[in-house]
Amino acid sequence: VWFLIAFLGHSRMINYATGAKSLERKENMRVYNLTENLCMSVGMKMPILRIIESPALNAYASGLNEKNHTVTLTRGIIDQLDDDELEGVIAHELMHIRNNDVRLLIISIVFVGIFSVIFQSVMRSIFYGSGRRSSRKKDGKGGFIITLVILLVSALIYLISILFKFSLSRKREYLADAGAAEMTKNPLGLANALRKISGNSSLDNLKNNDVKQMFIDNGPGKRMPSFISEIKLVKRIASIFATHPPIEKRITLLEQF
């Protein structure tokens, strides 16, 4: 049921969460021309274009099929990037569509959500059932052990599914960067765009972490103190749970493309 709801209503949910509106062609011919030229160069259908009225610099792709494939840009990224940089960003999002990354991400989010529900259900059964089990003594031991095993297995599967989702997201960002460089024949355009985006991508009103994962940049909102963030173990753990690769590394790879 949850998968069906997500499949049918994901576009409306995402647009509601981000506040995205239709991008009118008459007022934004520059964006339409850049997008249409890129689509024609690779023979793909023009996606729907939407805009988020925010000064932040960010963008994302959404949609599970050609009818609802969408590229959404913030007002800030349209206004502050030059044509080469904006072309690189749009190409990056088009590559997410061509690579079916949006579909993979939606499916991974749904299944992580399902594992989360299972994990929470087992947790509730343990806490709410503890009072009844205390009165049963020996008779309840077997059931408690089985429930505890289910809890541990559910927790492990939930953790693995989260790590898989993050790892998948990081890998697809690298692939989209490389594809955009190939599509535009100008890797420095996207590299320069990422430089401007870095540190300026946070949308204050957006709270949904799953939606944040879809954007071209999802940097940490509140940075740790430098003396903590420089610890190797902390950096390693942070990289494992990051949805995106370090933006500095992405820029370096594009410059070497």
Side-chain angles (χ1 to χ4, degrees):
V1 170
W2 175 233
F3 186 89
L4 186 62
I5 292 171
F7 185 86
L8 296 177
H10 75 281
S11 292
R12 289 191 183 92
M13 294 176 189
I14 293 168
N15 291 333
Y16 177 79
T18 61
K21 307 294 183 183
S22 295
L23 186 69
E24 299 300 328
R25 178 184 286 269
K26 290 182 180 180
E27 300 171 2
N28 298 275
M29 284 302 299
R30 172 178 171 240
V31 179
Y32 272 86
N33 288 340
L34 289 172
T35 307
E36 286 176 338
N37 289 339
L38 287 169
C39 289
M40 286 189 291
S41 71
V42 293
M44 70 178 290
K45 185 179 178 180
M46 175 80 173
I48 300 166
L49 293 179
R50 300 182 74 87
I51 188 169
I52 301 171
E53 293 294 348
S54 168
L57 276 63
N58 227 323
Y60 68 90
S62 59
L64 298 180
N65 53 58
E66 283 192 347
K67 291 182 179 179
N68 55 27
H69 281 155
T70 305
V71 171
T72 302
L73 307 164
T74 61
R75 177 65 68 185
I77 209 168
I78 293 173
D79 291 345
Q80 296 189 42
L81 300 191
D82 64 30
D83 285 356
D84 287 345
E85 294 163 351
L86 187 57
E87 182 183 57
V89 169
I90 295 171
H92 174 97
E93 300 308 332
L94 292 177
M95 286 308 302
H96 276 313
I97 293 173
R98 284 173 62 82
N99 293 339
N100 289 320
D101 293 341
V102 178
R103 187 178 303 170
L104 281 172
L105 181 59
I106 293 295
I107 291 172
S108 68
I109 288 172
V110 169
F111 277 101
V112 169
I114 290 171
F115 292 139
S116 174
V117 170
I118 293 172
F119 178 66
Q120 292 176 35
S121 298
V122 176
M123 287 288 289
R124 289 193 189 97
S125 71
I126 289 176
F127 288 122
Y128 290 124
S130 60
R132 292 193 296 269
R133 282 194 299 271
S134 62
S135 62
R136 294 178 184 174
K137 295 181 181 180
K138 292 183 180 180
D139 294 337
K141 281 186 177 180
F144 176 75
I145 292 172
I146 292 173
T147 305
L148 187 61
V149 170
I150 294 173
L151 174 64
L152 293 174
V153 172
S154 300
L156 181 61
I157 293 174
Y158 182 42
L159 178 61
I160 291 173
S161 66
I162 290 175
L163 294 178
F164 173 77
K165 182 180 76 165
F166 290 161
S167 175
L168 177 66
S169 178
R170 292 192 299 271
K171 182 178 180 181
R172 307 310 286 192
E173 288 301 318
Y174 282 131
L175 290 174
D177 284 349
E182 189 71 35
M183 187 187 294
T184 61
K185 312 299 181 187
N186 181 17
L188 293 182
L190 179 56
N192 292 333
L194 290 175
R195 245 185 227 99
K196 291 183 178 179
I197 290 169
S198 180
N200 299 298
S201 62
S202 180
L203 282 80
D204 296 333
N205 295 329
L206 182 57
K207 306 300 181 185
N208 189 303
N209 289 326
D210 288 329
V211 175
K212 287 180 180 179
Q213 186 178 337
M214 301 176 65
F215 282 81
I216 192 170
D217 181 47
N218 182 23
K222 294 182 179 179
R223 297 187 180 275
M224 292 178 288
S226 58
F227 70 92
I228 296 178
S229 61
E230 290 302 317
I231 299 173
K232 287 186 177 180
L233 180 59
V234 173
K235 291 174 72 173
R236 179 60 180 166
I237 293 174
S239 66
I240 292 174
F241 285 91
T243 61
H244 287 54
I247 203 162
E248 297 82 6
K249 188 173 181 180
R250 294 169 64 185
I251 292 170
T252 300
L253 290 174
L254 285 165
E255 290 175 336
Q256 296 172 353
F257 195 84

